[in-house]
Amino acid sequence: MASPVAQVDGQDTGNGFFSKILEKLAQRQSLSAAEAERAFGVIMDGAIAPERIAAFLMALRVKGETQDELLGAVTALRQRMHAVPDMPADAIDICGTGGDNYGTLNVSTAVAFVLASLGVPVAKHGNRAVSSLSGASDVLTALGVPLTGEGGELARQMRSSNAIFLAAPNHHPAMRHAAGVRRALGLPTLFNLVGPLVNPAGVKRQLLGVFSAQWLYPIAEVLRQLGSECVWAVCGQPKDGHGGIDEITLAGPTDVVALENGRLIRFCIEPEMAGLAYAPICAIQGGNAQHNAQALEDLLRGVPGAYRDTVLLNAACALHVAGRATILHDGRIDSSALKDCVAQAARSLDNGAALAVLNGLRSPLPDAHARDMTGSS
C-alpha cells in the first residue's frame, strides 16, 4: 500500500524529492515526520542509490536525529513489513538497538528463553550483527534454532514453546536496500533505533535496550504514539565503560523511561535493588557467534556468573513489562518484588525449563505434524 505521505509535494517523486531532503539536511534542518516517512519510504522501495543513502544517514547523524524523524522512519518500515498474524495479544519483545560497541554476550536472546519457560509469550525480533560481533540471528543460528518467516511454523513454535524468533530479513525485505550501506558505514545510524520499533508480530509490550540515554524518552514516546501498552526503554551506564549500553547492567546504574498506563516516567535501577552484586562490563565480554552460543547454552544449563546475573536482572524487569509482576510503585522500584522476580527467573534456569525451550525450538517437526501444518496453512 502506498504511504499517505507519498502525496506530500506529489509533483516531486523519488530522486527529485530525495535531493531536496539531502539539501535540507545539508543545511542542518530537521525533517518533519511526514518528510522522514517519505524519505525512508523511497529508500525502502529501492529508488535511491547506495551512495545517496549513505549521505542521508550520515547527514542525519551529523545534524542529530530527532523524534519526528524516528517516527517517520518507523511508520515507513511498518507499512512495508511482512507482519506475523495471530500472535498472543500479550506477547513481549526483548531487544536492543545495538550500536554500543561493547561486544557483550547476547543478553536479550537469553532472556527470551527464560521468559518463555515462565509462560510469557515472546516474539523476539532481531538481526545479524551490523555494528557488533554477534547479533541475535547469528547466535540463534549457531545454537541450531531455525529462523523461519513462514506463518504456520511460527504459530506452531509459539503454541509449543511460547517463543518465536523473527529474523529481520524474513519480515523486512525492503531493508535490504540499506543493508550494504549500514555494513559499509559500520556506525550506529537511525536504523539501529528503528529496528526494535518495527516488530512484525505487532507486540505492544517491550523491554528495549538503547545505546544512548538521550534516546530513551523519544523512543518511548514514539511507541506511545503508535499504540504500545507497556514499554521500558533502558540504557545501562557502566562505571568502567565508555558510554551507554543497550541493556540493564550490573556494571552501574541503568536509566529507564517507562510507558506505564499511558504516561512516561523516568527512574533508575541499581543491581543491589535486585540483591545482585556489581560486576564490571568486561565480565560479560562476548566473542563470535559460536563463542556466544556456547556461553548462552552454558547459562541455560545453570552455570553461575555475571552473565547469569545480568540475564536474571533483565528477565525480572521483563516480567513486569509482560504484566506478570508489579515491581514499580509510584515511579519507584519495589526491591522486594524485584528480588522475587529474580528468584523466579533463577528457578527456570536451575530446573532446566529455559533449556527445554531452546531444545524444543531445535527439534524438527515430526513428519505427521508437518503434514498437518502444511495442510492447514
Side-chain angles (χ1 to χ4, degrees):
M1 178 185 298
S3 165
V5 183
Q7 300 306 312
V8 177
D9 289 334
Q11 67 275 18
D12 295 318
T13 58
N15 279 284
F17 165 78
F18 204 76
S19 293
K20 294 182 178 180
I21 291 296
L22 290 177
E23 179 61 29
K24 186 170 184 175
L25 293 175
Q27 296 174 14
R28 293 180 178 266
Q29 297 179 37
S30 294
L31 307 180
S32 68
E35 289 172 324
E37 181 183 340
R38 187 173 172 197
F40 276 90
V42 293
I43 289 173
M44 296 299 96
D45 292 340
I48 307 301
E51 60 270 20
R52 287 163 66 78
I53 298 174
F56 173 74
L57 293 175
M58 289 308 299
L60 285 171
R61 181 182 166 110
V62 170
K63 174 189 68 68
E65 300 94 334
T66 68
Q67 180 178 305
D68 278 347
E69 289 162 352
L70 177 61
L71 175 60
V74 171
T75 303
L77 266 70
R78 285 190 176 193
Q79 289 172 342
R80 290 162 175 82
M81 70 184 179
H82 294 176
V84 179
D86 304 322
M87 287 291 108
D90 59 344
I92 185 174
D93 190 8
I94 319 99
C95 60
T97 59
D100 59 25
N101 294 316
Y102 279 104
T104 61
L105 296 167
N106 297 78
V107 173
S108 60
T109 304
V111 171
F113 292 112
V114 173
L115 291 179
S117 72
L118 295 171
V120 176
V122 179
K124 176 162 171 50
H125 187 216
N127 206 347
R128 297 199 178 276
V130 174
S131 54
S132 63
L133 290 175
S134 178
S137 294
D138 299 303
V139 77
L140 288 164
T141 298
L143 285 165
V145 176
L147 298 174
T148 178
E150 199 278 316
E153 173 61 5
L154 288 169
R156 186 201 70 83
Q157 288 178 349
M158 182 62 83
R159 287 195 303 271
S160 64
S161 300
N162 283 323
I164 57 172
F165 293 94
L166 304 170
N170 291 337
H171 303 277
H172 298 285
M175 290 185 73
R176 72 186 184 278
H177 298 295
V181 170
R182 294 183 66 199
R183 282 192 297 270
L185 290 175
L187 298 168
T189 69
L190 197 61
F191 276 106
N192 286 83
L193 299 172
V194 171
L197 280 62
V198 291
N199 186 297
V203 297
K204 302 296 184 184
R205 297 175 178 271
Q206 288 185 255
L207 176 61
L208 199 161
V210 184
F211 65 83
S212 173
Q214 74 178 27
W215 280 104
L216 294 177
Y217 183 93
I219 281 177
E221 173 59 20
V222 165
L223 286 172
R224 186 190 69 81
Q225 291 183 40
L226 293 174
S228 288
E229 295 175 4
C230 185
V231 174
W232 280 23
V234 305
C235 181
Q237 303 294 335
K239 295 176 181 178
D240 59 335
H242 53 258
I245 186 170
D246 65 340
E247 62 202 24
I248 303 172
T249 184
L250 299 177
T254 297
D255 294 325
V256 185
V257 172
L259 171 61
E260 297 269 340
N261 300 314
R263 298 188 306 114
L264 298 184
I265 55 176
R266 192 160 198 150
F267 54 93
C268 184
I269 298 173
E270 299 273 3
E272 54 264 31
M273 293 176 176
L276 298 169
Y278 167 86
I281 201 65
C282 62
I284 59 169
Q285 183 66 44
N288 61 22
Q290 290 70 33
H291 173 91
N292 286 15
Q294 186 60 59
L296 198 156
E297 186 157 0
D298 290 343
L299 164 78
L300 297 184
R301 294 184 184 279
V303 172
Y307 185 28
R308 171 188 167 103
D309 287 352
T310 302
V311 169
L312 293 179
L313 180 55
N314 281 266
C317 293
L319 284 170
H320 173 94
V321 177
R324 303 304 178 91
T326 303
I327 65 174
L328 193 67
H329 296 282
D330 298 323
R332 295 179 179 273
I333 294 292
D334 181 334
S335 182
S336 177
L338 180 59
K339 289 174 182 176
D340 287 345
C341 289
V342 167
Q344 188 178 353
R347 286 192 294 272
S348 80
L349 294 175
D350 295 335
N351 65 17
L355 178 62
V357 175
L358 169 60
N359 287 333
L361 288 167
R362 283 168 161 167
S363 301
L365 278 170
D367 289 344
H369 193 177
R371 287 193 297 272
D372 290 343
M373 291 297 294
T374 301
S376 62
S377 62

